[in-house]
Amino acid sequence: MADVKKIAVIGGDGIGPEVVAEAIKVMKKTEEVFGYGFEFEHGLFGGIAIDEKGTPLPEETLQMCKKSDAVLLGAVGGPKWDSNPKELRPETGLLGIRKALGLFSNIRPANVFDCLKEASTLKPEVLEGTDLIVVRELTGGIYFGEKFRREGENGQEAVDTCVYNVNEIERIVRQAFEIARTRSKRLASVDKANVLETSRLWRETVIRIAADYPDVELEHVLVDNCAMQLLRRPASFDVIVTENMFGDILSDEAAMLTGSIGMLSSASLGEGAFGLYEPVHGSAPDIAGQGIANPIATILSVALMFRLTFGYHDAAEAIERAVKEVLDAGHRTGDIAVDKSKAIGTVAMGELIVNAIRK
Ligand code: IPM
Ligand code: MG
């Protein structure tokens, strides 16, 4: 058996625990089939941690993550905590864990499954061949700049500051160039350099680093134009690299191209192999506890973990193949079903995928 990898498991809120349970079954199946070994430790995080521990990110959960080789996260948040003060919001825990674990790079692939094209709101001919990755800077920019309120001449003012230093830009941009190298060798750097100083530093840095990657074709796209081009010519993008807030917005847009946010996985990485893996979708409180959530995004996040953190390419491929096989056979959860009356539940979908995993 290969060395045992420690996985920190955080189910979180809403449908989080339901989809994570299926992803764990998938990991256990790869132990049987490929001889890998995993040890799972569970921790509280998000709304449930606020309820039980009085903080969205308890110290013991953070320590558990730091001692692990990778983190598998479900989702956090829900209406119950929406009107809480900032320190007692699940989102604050999410930002805190990213920062504390040094996860500066968020990788969100958006690829269109052929058999699900009809689920998108875009015309199939526009989507044809769409397979892109948004590489989002995750621990800088306006999310983490100084924030405060003050009394101005015309009443109360609120201030959010956006700061980027050249090192923060350089490390994410290098990572994006490296990823582009392993794919179609096209990188779109997205900024607002016609207005923002942080974007001008971003663009200068990208141009300087591009000299080290002459084999990668680079384009600079202004963020407003990028939002438009994503709908107009999604297939022409390969890797998109951008700052924290632009990446937040564009990755949701890119996700919707595929018509099925329930299918999309993501990785958050730092300098080394360690990573946090989670579905792009949220905690979906409206369908929590009903056993109808789509577990595929979380299962595909395991495939990403195998590839990016462990280098278990055989098992990653087996998982992706199993998902495709089950979808090609016509099985659908409610979110991606055309005929909702034939939809299957979370556990049934998980089982079908587990059973389709083989060497
Ligand atoms: C995301 C989410 C988070 C973000 C929220 C929940 C804080 O939208 O992961 O994209 O804005 O980063
Ligand atoms: Mg978001």
Side-chain angles (χ1 to χ4, degrees):
M1 190 153 105
D3 61 329
V4 174
K5 303 291 188 193
K6 277 199 175 131
I7 313 295
V9 180
I10 298 174
D13 308 316
I15 60 169
E18 300 171 45
V19 291
V20 160
E22 299 313 308
I24 290 178
K25 289 180 199 162
V26 164
M27 292 181 78
K28 289 194 169 148
K29 179 68 182 268
T30 68
E31 293 186 313
E32 266 169 53
V33 176
F34 294 92
Y36 295 130
F38 304 104
E39 199 179 283
F40 301 97
E41 203 181 336
H42 295 258
L44 289 175
F45 181 60
I48 184 170
I50 296 172
D51 290 351
E52 293 190 19
K53 301 275 171 185
T55 168
L57 175 54
E59 186 56 31
E60 60 260 40
T61 301
L62 186 58
Q63 290 311 322
M64 173 188 89
C65 293
K66 282 187 173 164
K67 282 187 297 182
S68 67
D69 296 303
V71 181
L72 180 65
L73 174 69
V76 294
K80 183 173 177 194
W81 307 281
D82 270 352
S83 46
N84 279 10
K86 187 176 151 232
E87 322 71 63
L88 291 179
R89 292 185 63 111
E91 294 83 354
T92 305
L94 199 54
L95 300 187
I97 204 170
R98 289 170 179 170
K99 196 71 169 181
L101 298 175
L103 304 171
F104 62 82
S105 165
N106 184 221
I107 296 177
R108 296 184 170 179
N111 47 334
V112 175
F113 285 74
D114 272 339
C115 60
L116 293 179
K117 261 194 224 145
E118 75 275 17
S120 177
T121 49
L122 263 66
K123 293 186 189 128
E125 62 269 28
V126 175
L127 290 173
E128 192 63 50
T130 295
D131 176 11
L132 60 87
I133 292 188
V134 177
V135 178
R136 168 189 175 193
E137 201 291 324
L138 203 58
T139 51
I142 201 163
Y143 273 62
F144 291 92
E146 210 188 327
K147 305 175 184 302
F148 55 92
R149 300 272 181 112
R150 67 184 170 205
E151 270 321 301
E153 266 171 35
N154 298 308
Q156 207 181 134
E157 293 177 348
V159 181
D160 289 291
T161 42
C162 184
V163 182
Y164 267 110
N165 68 50
V166 74
N167 295 330
E168 287 171 326
I169 302 172
E170 190 163 336
R171 64 187 182 182
I172 186 81
V173 167
R174 278 199 189 279
Q175 207 181 71
F177 269 111
E178 293 291 337
I179 294 171
R181 245 184 193 167
T182 66
R183 296 171 44 98
S184 303
K185 297 194 169 53
R186 280 177 289 121
L187 181 66
S189 169
V190 175
D191 61 36
K192 188 74 186 174
N194 52 349
V195 178
L196 301 178
E197 205 50 43
T198 42
S199 279
R200 286 192 268 271
L201 180 62
W202 180 282
R203 194 175 284 211
E204 275 166 42
T205 308
V206 171
I207 291 170
R208 178 166 50 77
I209 292 168
D212 295 340
Y213 298 87
D215 52 320
V216 176
E217 190 190 315
L218 170 69
E219 66 170 330
H220 301 278
V221 191
L222 294 172
V223 62
D224 49 346
N225 186 31
C226 184
M228 182 173 82
Q229 301 303 341
L230 269 174
L231 300 181
R232 204 174 138 236
R233 51 169 180 99
S236 75
F237 290 101
D238 181 23
V239 179
I240 294 174
V241 65
T242 191
E243 60 112 90
N244 203 343
M245 184 149 86
F246 298 161
D248 178 45
I249 299 167
L250 293 178
S251 63
D252 264 29
E253 188 186 356
M256 237 12 242
L257 294 174
T258 71
S260 44
I261 200 157
M263 306 283 300
L264 299 178
S265 57
S266 80
S268 299
L269 304 170
E271 293 294 356
F274 176 85
L276 179 150
Y277 297 83
E278 59 178 318
V280 168
H281 64 70
S283 58
D286 53 323
I287 60 162
Q290 297 176 32
I292 58 171
N294 184 350
I296 293 180
T298 315
I299 289 170
L300 289 175
S301 298
V302 170
L304 259 189
M305 178 196 291
F306 283 6
R307 247 180 238 294
L308 300 178
T309 292
F310 301 139
Y312 294 167
H313 297 282
D314 50 1
E317 257 161 51
I319 293 171
E320 287 161 357
R321 215 181 321 114
V323 167
K324 187 169 182 301
E325 203 176 295
V326 169
L327 290 172
D328 284 345
H331 304 291
R332 303 279 188 272
T333 42
D335 58 318
I336 50 173
V338 176
D339 180 356
K340 306 278 177 213
S341 71
K342 295 216 179 79
I344 61 171
T346 312
V347 172
M349 181 55 97
E351 260 162 25
L352 282 165
I353 295 169
V354 165
N355 291 333
I357 291 174
R358 67 185 91 83
K359 266 202 171 116

